[in-house]
Amino acid sequence: MNLEQLEKAFQDKIDQEIKIEPKDWMPEAYRKTNIRQISQHAHSEIVGMLPEGNWISRAPSLKRKAILLAKVQDEAGHGLYLYSACETLGISREETINDLHSGKAKYSSIFNYPTLTWADMGAIGWLVDGAAIMNQVMLTRTSYGPYARAMVRICKEESFHQRQGFEILLTLSKGTAEQKAMCQDAINRWWWPSLMMFGPKDTESTNSDQSMKWKIKRKSNDELRQNFVDMIAQQIKFLDMTLPDPNLKWNEEKGHYDFGEINWEEFWNVVKGNGPCNKQRLEARKKAWDEGAWVREAAKAHADKKANLEKTKAA
Ligand code: 3HC
C-alpha cells in the first residue's frame, strides 16, 4: 500500500470505531499527538500529587489522613499506567520525564495553584477531579487502544476521588461559621482554575480539529466545560454555598447555564510557567527524580539478577 492508501485504511478503521493498537500502522502526526497528550496527562497525575501531598501530614483526623494517602497513591498509579501507555508509542519513560523537567512538556495548569487550607482537599476532589472525570470519561472511548483501556480504571478511581472531595466540603458546610467560611473560600479560589482545565476556547484550540477527526478527543473543550458548569451549578445547592460568578444563570432557551468570561490571560500565564507554584512544582519533581535514582538502580539490579538466575536455571 502507498501512503495515501495507508492513511485511508487508518481513517476507515477510526470511523468504524476499531481501536488503533501499538503495532498498527499510524500516521506520524497521530503518534506524536498521542505522545503529547498522554505524556501531558501522565505528568498532570504525578505533579497533581504535590498540592494534596502537602496536606497528608496535616489532615484533621487519622481517617482523613488514610483516605487522602490512598487518593494520592491512586494518582501515582494513574501516572504509571499513562507513562506505560505512552511507551507503547515508541518513546521511553526517561525521555518523557526529561521533557517535563526541561519545561518542554506541559502539565495541567490547575496544579500550579497553592493548597492553603484543609478545605482545599475537598475543593480539589470535587472540582478538580470532577473536571478531570468530565474530560476523561470521553477518553475511555479514545481511538488509541492502550490509552482508552488505561482510562477505564482511572475513571473509576476518579469518581471515588470526587465523592470524597464533596464529602469533605459537605462536612465543612455543616460545621461552625469558621468552617463554612473556609469551605466557601476554597470554592472561590478553585472554581475559575477548574474551568481552565478544559483548555482554551474551541476557537483558540490548535489541536482540537485534527484530534476530533482521529477520535482522540470526542467532545470539544467548550462542550465539556459547559457540561461541567451545568453539573456543578446543581451540586453546589446541596452545600448551600455559592460559585464566585455573578453571571452564572440558568438559560431556559439553551437548556444550559450561562457563565462569566474566564480570565484567559491568567490561564496562558500559568501555562507558560508563571503561575503561583510552577517553579516550586517542577523543582519538587526534579528533586524526587534525583533522590530516587538509587531506587531505580536497585530495582534494575534486582531485575537483572532475577533474569540471570532464570537463564542459568533454564540452561
Ligand atoms: N493546562 C496546561 N496546558 C493546557 C491546558 C491546561 N489546562 N489546556 C490546554 N493546554 C495546552 C495544550 O496542551 C496545547 O498545547 P500543546 O499543543 O503545546 O500541547 C494548547 O494548550 C492548546 O490547547 P488544545 O485545546 O489545542 O489542546 P488539546 O487538544 O490537547 O486539549 C486537553 C487539551 C483537553 C487538556 C487534552 O489534552 C486532554 O484531554 N488531555 C488529557 C487529559 C488531561 O491531561 N487532563 C489533565 C488533568 S489530569 C488530572 O487532573 C489528574 C486528576 O487525578 C486530578
Side-chain angles (χ1 to χ4, degrees), residues 50-85:
L50 297 168
E52 288 176 295
N54 188 31
W55 278 89
I56 292 173
S57 59
R58 292 183 282 164
S61 70
L62 186 59
K63 184 179 140 205
R64 294 286 186 201
K65 190 196 287 272
I67 296 171
L68 186 59
L69 251 176
K71 179 184 187 277
V72 173
Q73 270 180 350
D74 283 351
E75 309 296 1
H78 299 174
L80 295 181
Y81 312 149
L82 290 166
Y83 283 126
S84 298

Side-chain angles (χ1 to χ4, degrees), residues 33 36-38 40-42 44-45 48 52 71 75 78 104 106-111 124 128-129 131-132 135-136 138-139 147 151 154 158 161 193 196-201 204-208 211 217 221 224 267-268 270-271:
T33 296
R36 178 186 64 78
Q37 180 168 321
I38 303 171
Q40 175 175 297
H41 193 166
S44 303
E45 301 282 355
E52 288 176 295
K71 179 184 187 277
E75 309 296 1
H78 299 174
K104 188 177 156 204
K106 296 185 169 77
Y107 59 88
S108 186
S109 49
I110 193 76
F111 302 117
I124 290 185
V128 176
D129 293 303
N135 167 279
Q136 290 171 8
M138 84 166 171
L139 293 175
Y147 191 21
M151 290 319 299
I154 292 180
E158 291 293 358
H161 296 172
M196 293 174 195
M197 285 175 72
F198 295 95
K201 281 187 189 174
E204 309 288 319
S205 166
T206 41
N207 302 294
S208 276
S211 288
K217 281 168 96 165
N221 298 1
L224 290 167
F267 170 71
W268 289 116
V270 176
V271 172

Side-chain angles (χ1 to χ4, degrees), residues 235-255:
Q235 291 180 354
I236 196 154
K237 293 178 185 166
F238 294 93
L239 292 177
D240 212 10
M241 296 278 144
T242 55
L243 291 170
D245 180 357
N247 295 317
L248 186 80
K249 200 168 169 264
W250 176 249
N251 183 324
E252 192 62 51
E253 207 178 304
K254 286 193 201 154

Side-chain angles (χ1 to χ4, degrees), residues 101-140:
H101 293 173
S102 71
K104 188 177 156 204
K106 296 185 169 77
Y107 59 88
S108 186
S109 49
I110 193 76
F111 302 117
N112 294 303
Y113 290 85
T115 42
L116 305 179
T117 69
W118 170 252
D120 288 14
M121 298 304 99
I124 290 185
W126 180 43
L127 297 174
V128 176
D129 293 303
I133 304 173
M134 189 56 85
N135 167 279
Q136 290 171 8
V137 165
M138 84 166 171
L139 293 175
T140 61

Side-chain angles (χ1 to χ4, degrees), residues 2-62:
N2 62 29
L3 186 64
E4 208 177 305
Q5 288 164 329
L6 282 167
E7 276 174 357
K8 187 179 174 311
F10 173 82
Q11 189 62 48
D12 283 350
K13 238 181 179 178
I14 297 214
D15 295 342
Q16 290 166 42
E17 301 292 334
I18 301 171
K19 293 275 177 258
I20 305 301
E21 296 299 338
K23 288 188 178 153
D24 293 346
W25 185 89
M26 61 184 86
E28 191 51 21
Y30 177 86
R31 195 179 71 85
K32 283 207 174 123
T33 296
N34 267 299
I35 290 180
R36 178 186 64 78
Q37 180 168 321
I38 303 171
S39 66
Q40 175 175 297
H41 193 166
H43 300 328
S44 303
E45 301 282 355
I46 299 297
V47 178
M49 295 165 72
L50 297 168
E52 288 176 295
N54 188 31
W55 278 89
I56 292 173
S57 59
R58 292 183 282 164
S61 70
L62 186 59

